[in-house]
Amino acid sequence: MSEPPPRPGCYRSSDATTPIPAAAVQAVEAVEIAPVVPGSVALPVTTAVPLTQTMERVLGPCDVVSVQQTPRGCCQEAFGCTARSEYRLYAGFTENMRNGILPGANVESDPLQIGHMLEESPFCDRCFWSGMRRFSIPITVPDENGEVMMYNEKDFSLPTHCILHGDNGDIWIPCCCNLPTLKTYTSDRTYVGKTK
């Protein structure tokens, strides 16, 4: 079976046994930015995203990835504590998780699962300021016991807005600093980018 051609802007190695330094593997794409002011000049912006062989092997053939949260910690949630979030990743549009999602269920490997995410965060952070907490979510492939493909991390942050309840209704006040930012790193902790 021949390897499919790489998508535009993606790197694919034909030799999966040779490790490639993350800094050397980059998909570089020039993006034309429309001018903000009529008559001004638009400058091309180049973005470089480091890809690893694991990322390319797992995510390369996928046009769509479904992320589904498991009911892990539902008893903690019922008593007001925020549990560690757990997710399973599937290739394509998948609407259901098949095996072992409930506590005590017979846990079998799910052949459709391509990745697993389990939050790592301090218990007190989850209980006292859950929405503002810091956390790290390693993405392992193909399941929770697999190799780490990448990390998503968030530092302690303020909420996006505060609500003041008054007699004449609620007042929404947007926050302007220390907003939530999710940073993504490769398995060797090479910075990939951030989402705000």
Side-chain angles (χ1 to χ4, degrees):
M1 182 172 134
S2 65
E3 187 174 73
R7 295 178 313 215
C10 290
Y11 174 85
R12 183 179 303 276
S13 172
S14 58
D15 183 5
T17 60
T18 306
I20 298 174
V25 182
Q26 295 185 352
V28 179
E29 179 182 354
V31 180
E32 186 75 23
I33 305 295
V36 177
V37 179
S40 63
V41 177
L43 301 173
V45 176
T46 302
T47 59
V49 179
L51 299 176
T52 64
Q53 288 180 328
T54 305
M55 287 179 185
E56 195 54 38
R57 175 176 47 85
V58 174
L59 302 175
C62 301
D63 291 327
V64 175
V65 174
S66 297
V67 179
Q68 298 176 27
Q69 187 168 9
T70 69
R72 176 190 180 96
C74 57
C75 293
Q76 282 180 295
E77 299 278 348
F79 289 105
C81 296
T82 302
R84 293 169 55 190
S85 299
E86 180 182 40
Y87 305 90
R88 292 186 180 176
L89 284 68
Y90 296 90
F93 291 105
T94 302
E95 299 259 343
N96 60 330
M97 289 179 286
R98 300 181 334 140
N99 300 316
I101 63 169
L102 296 177
N106 183 15
V107 179
E108 300 173 14
S109 63
D110 187 346
L112 301 177
Q113 182 178 346
I114 62 168
H116 182 265
M117 298 165 53
L118 179 61
E119 174 184 352
E120 297 172 355
S121 63
F123 175 78
C124 290
D125 285 8
R126 292 194 311 272
C127 286
F128 297 115
W129 42 83
S130 64
M132 301 183 293
R133 71 183 180 273
R134 63 176 184 231
F135 62 77
S136 175
I137 301 181
I139 301 177
T140 56
V141 294
D143 55 27
E144 62 269 18
N145 300 319
E147 69 175 305
V148 174
M149 178 174 65
M150 60 195 302
Y151 294 91
N152 288 316
E153 296 183 349
K154 177 187 163 294
D155 293 327
F156 181 84
S157 62
L158 295 176
T160 57
H161 62 276
C162 296
I163 303 173
L164 296 177
H165 301 288
D167 294 336
N168 297 329
D170 296 341
I171 300 173
W172 288 51
I173 302 172
C175 294
C176 60
C177 59
N178 199 26
L179 295 175
T181 302
L182 187 68
K183 296 178 183 175
T184 303
Y185 300 89
T186 61
S187 59
D188 65 354
R189 297 293 186 173
T190 301
Y191 178 76
V192 174
K194 63 183 175 183
T195 305
K196 285 190 169 191

